[in-house]
Amino acid sequence: MVPVWERGKESLQVRTMDGKWKSVKMLSLGNSEGTGGKDVSGEVIMVQSLEEYEKLPADQIKGKVVFFNYPFSQSFVETFRGYSDAAKYRVNAASLTAKKGGKFAVIRSLSSAFDNVPHTGGMRYDEQYPKIPAVAIGTAAADELAELLKSQKITLKLNSHCGMKGEKLSHSVIGEITGHQDHEVIVAGGHLDSWDVGEGAHDDGAGIVQSIEILRTFKKLGINNRHTIRVVCFANEENGVKGGIAYGKAAKENNEKHLFAIESDAGGFAPRGISMEMDAQKINQIKSWANLFFPYGVYNFEGRFSEPIFIRFMIWAFRQPNWFLIPSATLTSTTRKKIRLIK
C-alpha cells in the first residue's frame, strides 16, 4: 500500500498597495495539506535563511505568511550539492512556519534556472505542529516578490484543495536473470513514480531505462552470469519509499543474500562516476577497475552517496541482529546548469 496525495485546484494571488490582486504561478508541495478550498491570506514576511528565521520571535510570525527566499547555490560544480543544500527549506518550511503561528509557507523553487517555472517536491510535517499549506514559486516570481517587499507591505492569498487521500495498492516491477553458480543477488534499480506535474523523464524514467538495459545487455551478449542479476523498478519513491521498504522486507523474509546494490536517480545525463557506501576494502577494489571506466568518461569514484533513497530504505528493511552492510552505490551524472550571460 502506498500513500495517495492529490493536488486538485490551486491558486495564489498577490495584493500590493494599490489594492489589486495578481495571480502568481505556484505549485503546492507534495504531501502538503491545502486550504480546504477556502481563501487564506496574510501579510508576507520574507527570510533568506533558516538562521534569520530562527532569530525572529513568534509574535512577528503569527498570522503571517512566511516566504523562504533561499537561493539555489550556483557555487557548486555538481548541481545536486546545491539541491541538497536548499532541500531543507522545501522539506521543513511548513512546520517551521506553523511552529511560530504562521498561516502558510512559500518557498523559492529548488532550481538553478532563472525562470518562472515553479517546482514541486516532497515535504514533511512535524507532528507537533498544525499541518499548514506549503507552496513553491518560480525563481523569477521569487525575485519579483522580494523586490516588492523592499518598498511595501504585501499580502498573499492561497486557495488549494490538495491533501492526503489514504492509501492504495501499487507495485514495484522486478525482472532478473538467474545466476548459474548461485542465487546471490546483484540488484540495480530506479523508481517508477514521478510528481503529477512532470512527465518523469529524468526523475526517474532515465534510471528505469538504464537499469533495464543491464538485463538487455547481458542477454544480447550472451553473458552467463554467475550471480542473479536483478532489476527493480521501485514504486513510491517520491512520497513514501514504500517500494524500497517492501522489497527489503521481502528479501529478508526470503533469506536472500545481496552482494551489491546500485541505483540511478540523477537524470539522463552522461554518467561521470559512482558514489559508494561500503567498507574501504571494497571501495578500493572497485577503484582498481577505474581504467575500464575511463574510456567512457567515468572517472569519479570518490563520492559517498547522499540521497539513494529507495536503496537506503531497502537496506534499512534488511536490518537484523547479525545484519551486514550491503555494498551499495548510486550512479552520478553530469547535470546541466543554465548560464546567464550579462551584456
Side-chain angles (χ1 to χ4, degrees):
M1 303 298 288
V2 302
V4 177
W5 179 80
E6 293 182 0
R7 181 175 301 280
K9 294 180 179 180
E10 56 188 10
S11 66
L12 182 67
Q13 294 180 295
V14 59
R15 186 180 66 188
T16 55
M17 289 184 70
D18 61 11
K20 295 181 179 179
W21 289 99
K22 176 185 174 182
S23 293
V24 180
K25 291 183 69 175
M26 52 75 73
L27 287 172
S28 293
L29 297 180
N31 296 343
S32 172
E33 294 299 325
T35 67
K38 299 177 181 178
D39 289 341
V40 175
S41 61
E43 181 187 337
V44 179
I45 184 166
M46 182 181 74
V47 295
Q48 293 187 293
S49 69
L50 291 179
E51 292 74 20
E52 181 184 351
Y53 180 74
E54 291 297 341
K55 292 177 182 178
L56 294 175
D59 59 5
Q60 288 189 29
I61 302 297
K62 188 175 182 179
K64 294 192 171 110
V65 175
V66 180
F67 170 38
F68 292 90
N69 189 29
Y70 184 80
F72 189 105
S73 177
Q74 304 287 345
S75 63
F76 297 104
V77 174
E78 296 178 17
T79 52
F80 264 103
R81 293 191 178 186
Y83 180 83
S84 298
D85 173 62
K88 55 184 174 286
Y89 291 88
R90 190 187 72 203
V91 172
N92 300 312
S95 289
L96 287 171
T97 301
K99 180 180 179 180
K100 295 187 178 183
K103 288 187 173 181
F104 63 90
V106 178
I107 69 161
R108 183 187 184 97
S109 285
L110 276 61
S111 173
S112 61
F114 297 96
D115 57 27
N116 199 26
V117 180
H119 289 218
T120 190
M123 53 82 71
R124 289 197 299 265
Y125 284 116
D126 185 327
E127 297 296 331
Q128 298 179 75
Y129 310 112
K131 294 183 177 181
I132 64 172
V135 307
I137 59 175
T139 54
D143 287 343
E144 183 179 351
L145 181 57
E147 190 64 28
L148 288 172
L149 285 165
K150 290 179 181 179
S151 60
Q152 57 190 285
K153 290 185 177 181
I154 298 295
T155 299
L156 284 176
K157 179 170 65 177
L158 176 66
N159 189 302
S160 58
H161 293 75
C162 59
M164 303 304 296
K165 307 295 182 183
E167 294 184 325
K168 72 175 182 180
L169 183 64
S170 187
H171 301 276
S172 297
V173 178
I174 301 173
E176 66 180 44
I177 302 174
T178 305
H180 77 270
Q181 174 181 295
D182 55 47
H183 294 293
E184 296 177 349
V185 178
I186 297 171
V187 63
H191 66 87
L192 287 170
D193 59 321
S194 70
W195 287 107
D196 56 310
V197 292
E199 75 294 313
H202 279 290
D203 187 12
D204 185 30
I208 291 291
V209 172
Q210 289 166 344
S211 300
I212 293 172
E213 278 292 290
I214 295 170
L215 297 183
R216 189 195 67 81
T217 301
F218 267 74
K219 289 179 69 68
K220 182 72 173 180
L221 297 179
I223 298 173
N224 191 19
N225 47 291
R226 291 185 296 170
H227 310 296
T228 293
I229 308 296
R230 179 179 294 165
V231 166
V232 183
C233 304
F234 288 95
N236 186 234
E237 184 268 352
E238 296 288 4
N239 77 327
V241 207
K242 294 296 183 69
I245 294 171
Y247 178 86
K249 288 181 177 178
K252 180 179 176 181
E253 290 170 0
N254 294 329
N255 200 30
E256 292 182 333
K257 181 178 180 181
H258 282 59
L259 300 175
F260 186 75
I262 186 167
E263 57 92 34
S264 175
D265 192 14
F269 305 106
R272 288 292 177 254
I274 302 172
S275 296
M276 297 174 279
E277 185 167 294
M278 59 193 73
D279 63 53
Q281 182 180 358
K282 290 184 174 66
I283 289 175
N284 290 332
Q285 181 183 3
I286 291 175
K287 288 170 71 173
S288 73
W289 304 331
N291 286 335
L292 300 175
F293 291 91
F294 288 159
Y296 301 95
V298 178
Y299 58 86
N300 185 359
F301 300 92
E302 301 303 322
R304 301 296 173 262
F305 56 48
S306 60
E307 197 182 18
I309 191 70
F310 40 91
I311 292 292
R312 184 176 296 281
F313 274 82
M314 181 198 86
I315 293 171
W316 170 82
F318 256 113
R319 289 184 176 174
Q320 52 189 327
N322 296 318
W323 178 76
F324 62 94
L325 177 66
I326 301 169
S328 49
T330 183
L331 189 70
T332 57
S333 65
T334 301
T335 52
R336 317 288 184 184
K337 291 171 92 171
K338 290 186 178 180
I339 301 175
R340 182 168 60 177
L341 299 178
I342 302 175
K343 293 182 180 180

PDB file of all heavy atoms in Angstrom, residues 276-288:
ATOM      1  N   MET A 276      29.741   5.574  -3.630  1.00  0.00           N
ATOM      2  CA  MET A 276      29.671   4.266  -2.989  1.00  0.00           C
ATOM      3  C   MET A 276      29.507   4.360  -1.479  1.00  0.00           C
ATOM      4  O   MET A 276      29.994   5.304  -0.849  1.00  0.00           O
ATOM      5  CB  MET A 276      30.939   3.464  -3.309  1.00  0.00           C
ATOM      6  CG  MET A 276      31.104   3.161  -4.789  1.00  0.00           C
ATOM      7  SD  MET A 276      32.674   2.358  -5.171  1.00  0.00           S
ATOM      8  CE  MET A 276      33.770   3.782  -5.222  1.00  0.00           C
ATOM      9  N   GLU A 277      28.838   3.376  -0.915  1.00  0.00           N
ATOM     10  CA  GLU A 277      28.751   3.232   0.526  1.00  0.00           C
ATOM     11  C   GLU A 277      29.044   1.771   0.851  1.00  0.00           C
ATOM     12  O   GLU A 277      28.196   0.887   0.688  1.00  0.00           O
ATOM     13  CB  GLU A 277      27.374   3.625   1.044  1.00  0.00           C
ATOM     14  CG  GLU A 277      27.300   3.599   2.573  1.00  0.00           C
ATOM     15  CD  GLU A 277      26.055   4.286   3.102  1.00  0.00           C
ATOM     16  OE1 GLU A 277      25.929   5.506   2.946  1.00  0.00           O
ATOM     17  OE2 GLU A 277      25.206   3.577   3.661  1.00  0.00           O
ATOM     18  N   MET A 278      30.255   1.530   1.280  1.00  0.00           N
ATOM     19  CA  MET A 278      30.722   0.170   1.592  1.00  0.00           C
ATOM     20  C   MET A 278      32.042   0.306   2.327  1.00  0.00           C
ATOM     21  O   MET A 278      32.547   1.419   2.506  1.00  0.00           O
ATOM     22  CB  MET A 278      30.885  -0.644   0.309  1.00  0.00           C
ATOM     23  CG  MET A 278      31.851  -0.044  -0.683  1.00  0.00           C
ATOM     24  SD  MET A 278      31.775  -0.800  -2.328  1.00  0.00           S
ATOM     25  CE  MET A 278      30.233  -0.160  -2.948  1.00  0.00           C
ATOM     26  N   ASP A 279      32.608  -0.810   2.763  1.00  0.00           N
ATOM     27  CA  ASP A 279      33.856  -0.692   3.509  1.00  0.00           C
ATOM     28  C   ASP A 279      35.003  -0.333   2.566  1.00  0.00           C
ATOM     29  O   ASP A 279      34.921  -0.484   1.340  1.00  0.00           O
ATOM     30  CB  ASP A 279      34.156  -1.971   4.299  1.00  0.00           C
ATOM     31  CG  ASP A 279      34.366  -3.187   3.410  1.00  0.00           C
ATOM     32  OD1 ASP A 279      35.201  -3.126   2.494  1.00  0.00           O
ATOM     33  OD2 ASP A 279      33.695  -4.209   3.646  1.00  0.00           O
ATOM     34  N   ALA A 280      36.079   0.160   3.149  1.00  0.00           N
ATOM     35  CA  ALA A 280      37.193   0.710   2.374  1.00  0.00           C
ATOM     36  C   ALA A 280      37.812  -0.323   1.441  1.00  0.00           C
ATOM     37  O   ALA A 280      38.235   0.010   0.324  1.00  0.00           O
ATOM     38  CB  ALA A 280      38.261   1.268   3.327  1.00  0.00           C
ATOM     39  N   GLN A 281      37.873  -1.585   1.878  1.00  0.00           N
ATOM     40  CA  GLN A 281      38.467  -2.625   1.041  1.00  0.00           C
ATOM     41  C   GLN A 281      37.688  -2.793  -0.262  1.00  0.00           C
ATOM     42  O   GLN A 281      38.276  -2.890  -1.341  1.00  0.00           O
ATOM     43  CB  GLN A 281      38.494  -3.956   1.803  1.00  0.00           C
ATOM     44  CG  GLN A 281      39.144  -5.090   1.017  1.00  0.00           C
ATOM     45  CD  GLN A 281      39.168  -6.395   1.798  1.00  0.00           C
ATOM     46  OE1 GLN A 281      38.724  -6.452   2.946  1.00  0.00           O
ATOM     47  NE2 GLN A 281      39.686  -7.451   1.192  1.00  0.00           N
ATOM     48  N   LYS A 282      36.371  -2.783  -0.173  1.00  0.00           N
ATOM     49  CA  LYS A 282      35.550  -2.937  -1.377  1.00  0.00           C
ATOM     50  C   LYS A 282      35.618  -1.691  -2.261  1.00  0.00           C
ATOM     51  O   LYS A 282      35.621  -1.793  -3.494  1.00  0.00           O
ATOM     52  CB  LYS A 282      34.102  -3.252  -0.989  1.00  0.00           C
ATOM     53  CG  LYS A 282      33.909  -4.642  -0.380  1.00  0.00           C
ATOM     54  CD  LYS A 282      32.445  -4.912  -0.119  1.00  0.00           C
ATOM     55  CE  LYS A 282      32.226  -6.363   0.343  1.00  0.00           C
ATOM     56  NZ  LYS A 282      32.838  -6.600   1.654  1.00  0.00           N
ATOM     57  N   ILE A 283      35.657  -0.512  -1.633  1.00  0.00           N
ATOM     58  CA  ILE A 283      35.817   0.714  -2.422  1.00  0.00           C
ATOM     59  C   ILE A 283      37.106   0.666  -3.220  1.00  0.00           C
ATOM     60  O   ILE A 283      37.138   0.961  -4.423  1.00  0.00           O
ATOM     61  CB  ILE A 283      35.785   1.950  -1.508  1.00  0.00           C
ATOM     62  CG1 ILE A 283      34.365   2.188  -0.976  1.00  0.00           C
ATOM     63  CG2 ILE A 283      36.273   3.198  -2.261  1.00  0.00           C
ATOM     64  CD1 ILE A 283      34.270   3.307   0.031  1.00  0.00           C
ATOM     65  N   ASN A 284      38.189   0.266  -2.576  1.00  0.00           N
ATOM     66  CA  ASN A 284      39.477   0.190  -3.267  1.00  0.00           C
ATOM     67  C   ASN A 284      39.466  -0.868  -4.366  1.00  0.00           C
ATOM     68  O   ASN A 284      40.119  -0.694  -5.406  1.00  0.00           O
ATOM     69  CB  ASN A 284      40.596  -0.089  -2.262  1.00  0.00           C
ATOM     70  CG  ASN A 284      40.872   1.101  -1.356  1.00  0.00           C
ATOM     71  OD1 ASN A 284      40.658   2.252  -1.748  1.00  0.00           O
ATOM     72  ND2 ASN A 284      41.341   0.835  -0.147  1.00  0.00           N
ATOM     73  N   GLN A 285      38.726  -1.939  -4.130  1.00  0.00           N
ATOM     74  CA  GLN A 285      38.624  -2.965  -5.173  1.00  0.00           C
ATOM     75  C   GLN A 285      37.958  -2.396  -6.423  1.00  0.00           C
ATOM     76  O   GLN A 285      38.430  -2.593  -7.546  1.00  0.00           O
ATOM     77  CB  GLN A 285      37.826  -4.167  -4.665  1.00  0.00           C
ATOM     78  CG  GLN A 285      37.691  -5.296  -5.688  1.00  0.00           C
ATOM     79  CD  GLN A 285      36.843  -6.444  -5.172  1.00  0.00           C
ATOM     80  OE1 GLN A 285      36.300  -6.387  -4.072  1.00  0.00           O
ATOM     81  NE2 GLN A 285      36.735  -7.496  -5.966  1.00  0.00           N
ATOM     82  N   ILE A 286      36.864  -1.662  -6.226  1.00  0.00           N
ATOM     83  CA  ILE A 286      36.167  -1.057  -7.375  1.00  0.00           C
ATOM     84  C   ILE A 286      37.034   0.011  -8.026  1.00  0.00           C
ATOM     85  O   ILE A 286      37.114   0.090  -9.266  1.00  0.00           O
ATOM     86  CB  ILE A 286      34.812  -0.482  -6.928  1.00  0.00           C
ATOM     87  CG1 ILE A 286      33.856  -1.629  -6.554  1.00  0.00           C
ATOM     88  CG2 ILE A 286      34.193   0.392  -8.017  1.00  0.00           C
ATOM     89  CD1 ILE A 286      32.534  -1.195  -5.984  1.00  0.00           C
ATOM     90  N   LYS A 287      37.733   0.803  -7.241  1.00  0.00           N
ATOM     91  CA  LYS A 287      38.600   1.839  -7.801  1.00  0.00           C
ATOM     92  C   LYS A 287      39.747   1.229  -8.609  1.00  0.00           C
ATOM     93  O   LYS A 287      40.265   1.873  -9.538  1.00  0.00           O
ATOM     94  CB  LYS A 287      39.138   2.723  -6.678  1.00  0.00           C
ATOM     95  CG  LYS A 287      38.065   3.634  -6.081  1.00  0.00           C
ATOM     96  CD  LYS A 287      38.523   4.327  -4.821  1.00  0.00           C
ATOM     97  CE  LYS A 287      39.554   5.384  -5.090  1.00  0.00           C
ATOM     98  NZ  LYS A 287      39.853   6.167  -3.843  1.00  0.00           N
ATOM     99  N   SER A 288      40.119  -0.002  -8.291  1.00  0.00           N
ATOM    100  CA  SER A 288      41.189  -0.668  -9.052  1.00  0.00           C
ATOM    101  C   SER A 288      40.759  -0.991 -10.473  1.00  0.00           C
ATOM    102  O   SER A 288      41.594  -1.281 -11.333  1.00  0.00           O
ATOM    103  CB  SER A 288      41.635  -1.951  -8.335  1.00  0.00           C
ATOM    104  OG  SER A 288      40.659  -2.984  -8.465  1.00  0.00           O
TER     105      SER A 288
END
